[in-house]
Amino acid sequence: MFRASHDIATTTSNSLSKEKNIYEVDVEDVSDLNSNSDSLSIKEHDGTSMKKGLKSRHIQIIALAGAIGTGLFVGSGSALATCGPAALLVGYLILSIFVWLVMNQIAEVVTFIPIPGQTTIYALCQRYTGNKSLSFACGMNLYYAQALITPAEITAAAFVIQYWTDINPGAWIAIFWVTMVGIQFCAVKYFGEIEFWIGLIKIITITGLIILGVIIFFGGAPDSHGILGFHYWKHPGSFAEHLATGNTAKFLDCWTSIIKSAFAFILAPELITACAAEAEHPRVNLPKATSRFIYRMIFFYVCGSLTIGIMVAYNDPRLMSALASGSQGAAASPFVIGIQNCGIKVLNHIVNAAILTSAYSCGNSQFFSATRTLHSMALHGEVPKIFGRTNRWGVPYFSVAVTALISLVAFLNVSNSAAVVFTWLTNISTVSGFISWIFIGIIYLRYRQVLEFHNMDDRVTFRPPFQIYGAYCTIFFFSLVSITNGYAVFFDFNGNDFVAAYITLPIIFVLYTGHMLWYRNWKWYAPLEEIDCFTGLEEVEKDQREYVAPVASNFIMKIYYWLC
């Protein structure tokens, strides 16, 4: 049992941490820019441990822009054409609120004990529910979702290049795949550095596009004839009314927008928490990144979707032609189309280059997250232990290798017939993202029960508002979205679309039921007194106590430390 006083909890934590090297930590000096801060690091390499190589600035930029890929830049065009600008805006706004709640929940749980191998959704599910079957289904669902988003973004990057050249996309897919795998085999600090600089490009690009939207709104574009304003919201209209008419059509437009726009948000919270275990001072840096997550949601996604509705009509000929031809690259990007419509030269090529880096970065980030999920499952014995092995740089190289092999499905898009199968896979990853957020809500509610039982609430250092209510809301909302994500197929039934929309649900059922029957695991939750919420806590609290915040020597450094 783990119900104990503070002293017993400390003893339990220390004794457990000596049993496995993965929990054995100490504090050593690590230099970072103008900081003389300490860093929690792994004491010795035992073949499964990881290195803490992600600095504060890496975490902050990854939190702001890491998961932004083609969903916002390109995928939003399909949502606009199907639903209209008002529905697109409503969809992004609603998703931003619920994804923010999810981020708050998982960040609090991870921040409590952020140690390597224990910050993935799988590990948290096993730790706080005690249900190995539930955690197995949770982990496998998350892994294949992350592993499938990677080839989706690789393919998107290859098709973005077709905006400039007719070279077979298979060549570009090969180039992106090789470089991405190479990055994953390097130490985590190189991954962090690459994501930092590409993240800055994303932030600058989206900020510039939003400013451009304001200029176009007031008629400042070369081909403008007076103030444009919300012209496209009136002509052809703010709602496309694609499935019905009247108010029912407007509601369905908004619901379809939520479903179609979700790919832009999928697995963003999981990415940040995957990075936490290999970050310096996670109890300081993760809350800092999480507290800014809502601003990213509002500025990038909400303002970005509003800009799209201002720049492009939902029935724009260029947009409709791109979607009809099945274009997956910049030709289908509403941002690029809007720039072309306004007669702005060269800028469309610059934006296309930014879209290319965003697609590559998003695929690279999800690749990273997938390997950490598989590594975590291996440490707990749910998958072969070989996937838990790491090299001297702390890289789980077997996990990287198998994820790289899965990413080869990107080549399916070279063939038109195989592209249908690939579309199924990407749809599966989107629904898996919804289910992952349901798991996060369940984990959070159980986590709160465990802490209350063990009287540990006073040791929680980060607790955003609305958490328990938010968890119930996210469980209900994303359950509803998962069940109805393919509702449109029933208006004009298509077997392929039906399978793509709903195949994930029976997969999760089979994973859970199969594991439960194989291991004869009949309990939904383990008793509260058996839940371990102590192991690793003392080491994390020691790191937090010894953390020394950097002191800015001038105004520029004050801004830098506020951002990073």
Side-chain angles (χ1 to χ4, degrees), residues 216-294:
I216 293 174
F217 182 92
F218 288 105
D223 289 351
S224 295
H225 302 285
I227 296 176
L228 179 63
F230 290 97
H231 172 77
Y232 295 132
W233 287 53
K234 300 175 182 177
H235 308 285
S238 53
F239 293 92
E241 300 189 3
H242 66 296
L243 291 174
T245 57
N247 292 330
T248 301
K250 292 180 174 62
F251 171 77
L252 294 179
D253 281 344
C254 292
W255 196 251
T256 301
S257 174
I258 290 172
I259 295 169
K260 281 184 168 289
S261 302
F263 189 72
F265 296 82
I266 286 300
L267 304 180
E270 291 88 339
L271 168 61
I272 300 172
T273 55
C275 295
E278 296 172 73
E280 299 172 0
H281 309 300
R283 270 204 163 187
V284 176
N285 292 322
L286 184 58
K288 187 177 178 181
T290 303
S291 63
R292 295 169 183 173
F293 196 76
I294 185 61

